[in-house]
Amino acid sequence: MYETQVKVRFCETDALGHINNTSYFIYLEEARIAFFEEMGASMHTKKWEYILASTKCDFVAQGYFNQVLMIKTFVSNVGNKSFTIGHEITDSKTGSLIAKGEAVIVYFDFDAQKSVSIPADIKQFLMTYKVAV
């Protein structure tokens, strides 16, 4: 699993004192971007080759301001033109599960405006992070 740490900022909490539900999607995006960087993907928007087709987050427990979260990222499925990334957000000190997320990513040709097959080298990288779910 690929791991990313995030420290919860005050602005990411709500009137009830816990992490606002929309903030989790920002954390998941941060973890995906770090995973893409690990994969060697270009971070230049003119060379970007991925689109987010679907995303979800299940909230398991509350998180709070100043808490350090560990986001574990893994691949749960690799298809011909898309792959699915899974995430587990835990408290970095206790390891307790706070949220689970998932994203379906499509390999995309922006010039042709259509999905295309994932190149073999990228598939090989994705398979190194594949876990049975």
Side-chain angles (χ1 to χ4, degrees):
M1 287 193 200
Y2 185 79
E3 295 182 344
T4 308
Q5 278 195 344
V6 173
K7 188 173 184 180
V8 179
R9 295 175 291 249
F10 183 77
C11 66
E12 297 164 343
T13 62
D14 59 22
L16 299 174
H18 61 254
I19 299 171
N20 183 280
N21 58 15
T22 60
S23 296
Y24 287 97
F25 290 96
I26 296 167
Y27 305 152
L28 297 179
E29 178 184 51
E30 189 171 332
R32 278 195 310 275
I33 294 298
F35 182 75
F36 286 141
E37 288 176 326
E38 176 74 10
M39 187 167 57
S42 170
M43 292 294 113
H44 192 283
T45 56
K46 300 279 187 208
K47 296 179 182 178
W48 195 250
E49 300 169 313
Y50 306 93
I51 58 172
L52 181 64
S54 174
T55 188
K56 74 175 213 157
C57 186
D58 296 326
F59 311 108
V60 178
Q62 296 179 61
Y64 300 95
F65 164 64
N66 225 20
Q67 187 174 24
V68 178
L69 305 175
M70 177 65 69
I71 306 169
K72 297 174 183 175
T73 301
F74 55 92
V75 176
S76 60
N77 185 53
V78 178
N80 187 40
K81 296 180 179 183
S82 67
F83 56 97
T84 304
I85 293 177
H87 301 281
E88 292 179 353
I89 300 175
T90 60
D91 179 283
S92 67
K93 290 181 184 171
T94 67
S96 60
L97 184 64
I98 295 172
K100 298 184 294 185
E102 183 178 273
V104 176
I105 310 295
V106 176
Y107 198 75
F108 198 75
D109 180 332
F110 281 90
D111 292 330
Q113 286 294 296
K114 67 178 188 175
S115 60
V116 293
S117 295
I118 301 170
D121 60 327
I122 295 174
K123 273 191 177 184
Q124 183 178 357
F125 172 86
L126 294 170
M127 293 306 288
T128 64
Y129 285 95
K130 188 164 185 326
V131 298
V133 181

